[in-house]
Amino acid sequence: ESMHLAVQRESEQTRKTAGILDGSTLGKIEIKGKDALEFMNLMYTNAFTKMKPMTSRYALMLGEDGMIMDDGIICKINDKHFIATTTSSGAPKVLAHMEEFLQTEWPHLQVYLNSITEQFTTFNISGPKSREIVSKVFTDVDFSNDKFPFMTFNNFKYLDTEVRIMRASFTGELGYEIYVSPKYALELWKKIFHSGKNLGLVAYGTETMHLLRAEKGYIVV
C-alpha cells in the first residue's frame, strides 16, 4: 500500500465509520491566575468573556506582524483557569510568546503559565460511529446531545485516575478528544479498539488528518 492509498483508505473509513488519531504531540498550556481571562482576551483574536465555564472554543493567535501564528482549542474551566491547545510544532513557540508578553508588555497581570503537553496523552476519535464507541468505553458517561453538547468538556473517573473528554471536531464529523495520563494510555487505546472492533474503527495518521482538515475547510497553520 502506498502513502497515497493509505491516506485515501483512512480518510474514507473515518468518514464512513470512525477513525482515531494519537494527537499527544499537540501542545497543551495551562493558564492560571486572577487575570487569566484578561490575558487570554489580549493573546488571541477571540474574546473569551462571554464563554461559559466548561466550554471550549476554536481560537487563532497572531504574531506581531499580524499573520496567523498558531491555532488551537481553548478550554475555559473558569475565568481564572484555561487550557490552550496548540499545533504540535507550535507548542514551545506559543509558550515563549505568551511568556514574553507577560514579562515585557503586561507585567502587572497576575498570570502563571505551565506546559502540560507531556502530562496528557490525547486521542482524537472522529466519525459517525464515534459516539457509539466512546459510550462503550466510558459506560458511566451520557454522550447524548442534550447532556454532552458540541464544544463542551468535562472530567470523568476512569480506573483510579481522571480523564478529560471534549466534544470537538476538525474533520466535519462527530468527534471527541480524550486526555488521559500517559500511564493509562496504551491500555485505553486497546480498550477503544476492542470497543470499535465491529464498528469499523481505523487508526489514522498525520497525512490523513491534514486531508480531513482541509476537506472540512480548516486552515493548516
Side-chain angles (χ1 to χ4, degrees), residues 40-55:
M40 294 299 283
N41 284 339
L42 289 165
M43 266 337 295
Y44 287 87
T45 60
N46 312 54
F48 301 98
T49 308
K50 292 181 180 177
M51 218 176 142
K52 292 177 183 173
M54 306 307 283
T55 64

Side-chain angles (χ1 to χ4, degrees), residues 46 56-60 71-74 151 213 218-219 221:
N46 312 54
S56 44
R57 181 172 287 176
Y58 177 71
L60 287 175
D71 71 337
I73 290 178
I74 310 298
M151 296 306 272
R213 190 182 168 109
Y218 279 160
I219 57 167
V221 174

Side-chain angles (χ1 to χ4, degrees), residues 44-86:
Y44 287 87
T45 60
N46 312 54
F48 301 98
T49 308
K50 292 181 180 177
M51 218 176 142
K52 292 177 183 173
M54 306 307 283
T55 64
S56 44
R57 181 172 287 176
Y58 177 71
L60 287 175
M61 177 180 278
L62 304 185
E64 289 190 81
D65 56 3
M67 302 297 284
I68 294 173
M69 179 178 162
D70 203 75
D71 71 337
I73 290 178
I74 310 298
C75 292
K76 180 179 183 177
I77 295 160
N78 54 54
D79 284 350
K80 297 177 182 179
H81 192 183
F82 293 81
I83 295 173
T85 64
T86 74

Side-chain angles (χ1 to χ4, degrees), residues 137-204:
V137 177
F138 304 100
T139 51
D140 296 339
V141 181
D142 186 347
F143 287 99
S144 64
N145 275 327
D146 292 342
K147 298 289 183 186
F148 212 133
F150 183 55
M151 296 306 272
T152 62
F153 66 94
N154 217 323
N155 296 316
F156 302 98
K157 277 273 183 210
Y158 177 71
L159 302 178
D160 58 348
T161 186
E162 270 195 345
V163 292
R164 187 169 77 253
I165 304 175
M166 174 169 59
R167 184 176 161 193
S169 173
F170 55 80
T171 64
E173 297 288 352
L174 181 69
Y176 299 90
E177 290 189 5
I178 301 165
Y179 298 84
V180 66
S181 164
K183 179 181 170 184
Y184 301 90
L186 181 60
E187 187 184 352
L188 179 57
W189 179 268
K190 288 177 177 176
K191 194 173 179 181
I192 290 167
F193 266 92
H194 179 73
S195 301
K197 190 166 60 175
N198 300 321
L199 295 169
L201 178 65
V202 66
Y204 68 90

Side-chain angles (χ1 to χ4, degrees), residues 125 130-139 143 176 178:
I125 305 180
S130 56
R131 180 183 282 132
E132 209 174 323
I133 294 166
V134 292
S135 297
K136 281 184 170 186
V137 177
F138 304 100
T139 51
F143 287 99
Y176 299 90
I178 301 165

Side-chain angles (χ1 to χ4, degrees), residues 37 65 83 95 107 121 123-124 128-129 157 176 184 196 199 209:
L37 175 62
D65 56 3
I83 295 173
L95 182 62
T121 299
F123 299 143
N124 305 67
K129 301 279 187 186
K157 277 273 183 210
Y176 299 90
Y184 301 90
L199 295 169
M209 178 192 73

